[in-house]
Amino acid sequence: MNSRFEINKRKEYQEGLLAAFSVTLPDDFRSDLEELMADKEVSAATKETVRLWREIVAPFGNTLSYIVNNRFIPEALPSIVQDDSNDHITMLAEDVFDMLQRLNRATAKAFVATVKGKTGCIESLYAALLEGDKETFVHLLSDRQCDATPLARLCRCCWDDVRMGTTIKEDELAPYLDYMSELPCETDDDHALNQAVQQVQPSWKRLQESDDADFDRDLEQYFRDWRQFYEAHFRMCVHFYQDNRTDFKPDEQKLFDSILEQPDVQLLLKESAPCIPCDADPDETKPFTLPRDFFEWPHASMMPVEHLYIKKEVVQRGAATFVELINYLAENGYIEDHPAVKALFAYRLTGRCRPEGTLQPIIWRGKNGKSYELIFLIRYLSDRGDYKKMRRFFQGPEWVKDRDSSYAIDADSKFKLKIKEFYPGTCPF
């Protein structure tokens, strides 16, 4: 074991964590903020919006993005690089370079190491990255000397950090807002953020009108709309943190909790969110189904802590077989026979179609109260069985002490035979 490498890696991570929380801004941007906050003609409401972003939203969101990019995604790296479900989404070599530049060196090096190509290609790419030589980096990826598909898969999973918003130029804001408004809305938080973006868009357009006679009033409205955006974004980040709190280390939790414990923040989170249309609870009288193209839907790998990665045979045998599996589990009492529980089970195993709201543990009822059947599923249906996630996603059975995978053989014989009927290439019997 290279202890020096591990020490440096962990030291870099901790330093980056604190830097992300402090949100170091570009000099010119920070100067503009200081000037705005010192201007006596700027309203208190506008200053409060700036303060909300600077002291609450930015530190929380930036720290969350840092942890996702530099710990969660690297921990799920083997599964992500094998997931080809989002390969229809292209990513330019220039964008890959820009994303890698924002990551820790250890993270970037691990990402670049997934590239497949000629001898020395990886070393050349990493050297160009360290030197900030974007032209050479792009050239190496563009002239087909190497296959950067796994690298692109990883970079697509990365979250933008909050500081990125400080580098958006004036003529880029409208396209940025258009992009934000077109993001899919699968949860209440998504809808709230989308609604806030749609309020900001017309405010920004009015400010761009050269003959705007009510500029001061429109500027006030613009900042009020941005406040709605910041609040919606903050709630989304908080809900992600709360849903997955056990995956964060104590020092990370301490940073987040230092913000959440502030009285103003607690009041903000207690306030009711905007009224958003959402689907009613699933009808228990209707049979559980999934869209025929379920496995073609975008993969939620941007939140790798929330789900497992399913094996390719499960994907290849399609949604209908997967529905049969879930219905079998419900009909035989392994999980509750309820559409919402089945939908949550589908998300936990595949990362597709995230249910709205907080994700509760699924009650698993194994034979004789044991966890063997669940271990069998996790071992043979998921890629790189993650038993830590299994214990967090499910509750109810008696967990084994260690070496979980070795207990798959003890699963009920009829159960193993049935799962093999669904997925004969993956499940032994």
Side-chain angles (χ1 to χ4, degrees):
M1 180 183 293
N2 188 335
S3 59
R4 175 52 56 187
F5 171 78
E6 284 298 322
I7 291 172
N8 291 337
K9 178 181 175 181
R10 294 177 188 223
K11 181 180 178 182
E12 180 189 28
Y13 182 84
Q14 288 302 125
E15 291 174 349
L17 179 67
L18 296 177
F21 188 74
S22 64
V23 194
T24 304
L25 301 173
D27 290 341
D28 56 345
F29 190 86
R30 186 180 67 255
S31 177
D32 289 342
L33 283 185
E34 291 173 352
E35 183 179 338
L36 182 145
M37 297 300 284
D39 191 336
K40 295 181 179 180
E41 296 185 3
V42 175
S43 71
T46 296
K47 291 180 179 179
E48 185 57 32
T49 297
V50 174
R51 191 175 295 109
L52 171 69
W53 178 85
R54 184 69 183 87
E55 298 177 6
I56 296 174
V57 180
F60 199 99
N62 207 44
T63 305
L64 194 59
S65 295
Y66 176 84
I67 296 169
V68 169
N69 293 348
N70 292 286
R71 193 164 67 77
F72 289 172
I73 292 176
E75 288 174 357
L77 184 149
S79 299
I80 293 174
V81 297
Q82 295 178 29
D83 177 26
D84 59 3
S85 59
N86 285 340
D87 281 354
H88 61 284
I89 304 174
T90 58
M91 190 166 188
L92 297 176
E94 293 89 340
D95 296 331
V96 170
F97 179 87
D98 291 340
M99 178 56 72
L100 291 173
Q101 285 278 296
R102 296 204 297 272
L103 302 175
N104 284 352
R105 287 176 301 175
T107 305
K109 188 173 185 178
F111 281 23
V112 172
T114 64
V115 172
K116 303 172 184 177
K118 298 179 180 179
T119 304
C121 181
I122 292 176
E123 290 78 3
S124 298
L125 280 170
Y126 188 60
L129 187 65
L130 288 180
E131 295 169 6
D133 188 350
K134 190 172 187 177
E135 183 178 353
T136 298
F137 185 93
V138 171
H139 174 72
L140 288 169
L141 290 188
S142 302
D143 68 355
R144 300 185 179 181
Q145 289 189 37
C146 49
D147 177 12
T149 302
L151 174 59
R153 289 172 184 166
L154 290 164
C155 289
R156 281 199 302 266
C157 293
C158 291
W159 292 15
D160 288 334
D161 60 36
V162 176
R163 286 171 296 177
M164 186 179 178
T166 68
T167 62
I168 295 178
K169 300 176 182 177
E170 187 171 308
D171 61 350
E172 296 175 335
L173 186 56
Y176 171 76
L177 292 173
D178 287 341
Y179 157 74
M180 291 292 293
S181 68
E182 293 170 0
L183 291 176
C185 295
E186 298 180 359
T187 67
D188 286 348
D189 285 334
D190 293 337
H191 284 289
L193 190 64
N194 180 268
Q195 189 178 67
V197 170
Q198 293 188 32
Q199 288 180 229
V200 173
Q201 283 176 306
S203 295
W204 172 247
K205 289 179 181 178
R206 281 196 298 272
L207 287 181
Q208 302 312 297
E209 296 175 1
S210 58
D211 59 346
D212 186 2
D214 298 308
F215 180 83
D216 291 340
R217 185 196 64 185
D218 291 339
L219 183 63
E220 287 286 319
Q221 183 61 47
Y222 175 69
F223 274 95
R224 280 197 293 270
D225 292 336
W226 268 113
R227 181 180 179 88
Q228 293 296 318
F229 175 88
Y230 293 147
E231 290 181 357
H233 181 270
F234 181 62
R235 287 192 182 96
M236 177 180 287
C237 290
V238 170
H239 292 159
F240 178 85
Y241 167 66
Q242 291 173 337
D243 286 351
N244 303 283
R245 193 174 191 276
T246 56
D247 286 290
F248 292 89
K249 296 181 178 180
D251 56 335
E252 296 166 348
Q253 293 179 8
K254 186 176 180 180
L255 293 176
F256 291 124
D257 293 346
S258 69
I259 290 179
L260 295 178
E261 291 167 0
Q262 296 178 26
D264 290 347
V265 173
Q266 292 180 4
L267 181 61
L268 169 62
L269 294 174
K270 287 180 180 179
E271 294 174 354
S272 58
C275 183
I276 307 161
C278 60
D279 296 332
D281 290 337
D283 188 343
E284 295 184 52
T285 64
K286 294 181 179 179
F288 172 72
T289 62
L290 291 172
R292 183 178 298 179
D293 60 349
F294 175 75
F295 285 111
E296 298 174 16
W297 283 40
H299 194 285
S301 49
M302 66 175 290
M303 295 190 284
V305 295
E306 287 195 350
H307 61 82
L308 297 161
Y309 288 82
I310 209 73
K311 285 188 175 177
K312 284 194 174 181
E313 187 194 357
V314 180
V315 175
Q316 292 167 352
R317 291 184 68 83
T321 301
F322 193 51
V323 168
E324 286 185 53
L325 164 69
I326 295 174
N327 284 332
Y328 166 78
L329 296 176
E331 290 164 4
N332 287 271
Y334 291 102
I335 62 174
E336 184 181 353
D337 194 357
H338 189 283
V341 176
K342 294 177 181 180
L344 178 56
F345 182 91
Y347 175 69
R348 287 303 201 187
L349 260 68
T350 70
R352 291 170 172 84
C353 297
R354 186 188 193 279
E356 294 188 359
T358 300
L359 305 182
Q360 300 295 334
I362 298 171
I363 304 299
W364 180 268
R365 302 181 180 90
K367 294 291 183 181
N368 301 315
K370 303 295 185 180
S371 55
Y372 304 152
E373 290 78 32
L374 180 57
I375 290 173
F376 184 88
L377 288 180
I378 301 302
R379 177 173 180 179
Y380 293 111
L381 298 189
S382 71
D383 182 42
R384 299 175 62 85
D386 191 326
Y387 302 103
K388 178 183 176 183
K389 287 183 180 178
M390 175 191 73
R391 293 166 186 257
R392 189 161 55 81
F393 297 166
F394 298 87
Q395 66 181 26
E398 178 185 334
W399 299 117
V400 300
K401 292 183 178 179
D402 55 18
R403 297 183 293 110
D404 296 70
S405 64
S406 64
Y407 288 86
I409 194 174
D410 295 321
D412 179 73
S413 296
K414 291 182 179 179
F415 178 89
K416 291 189 288 187
L417 181 60
K418 188 64 178 179
I419 304 305
K420 183 172 177 61
E421 290 178 11
F422 293 132
Y423 303 107
T426 295
C427 298
F429 181 70

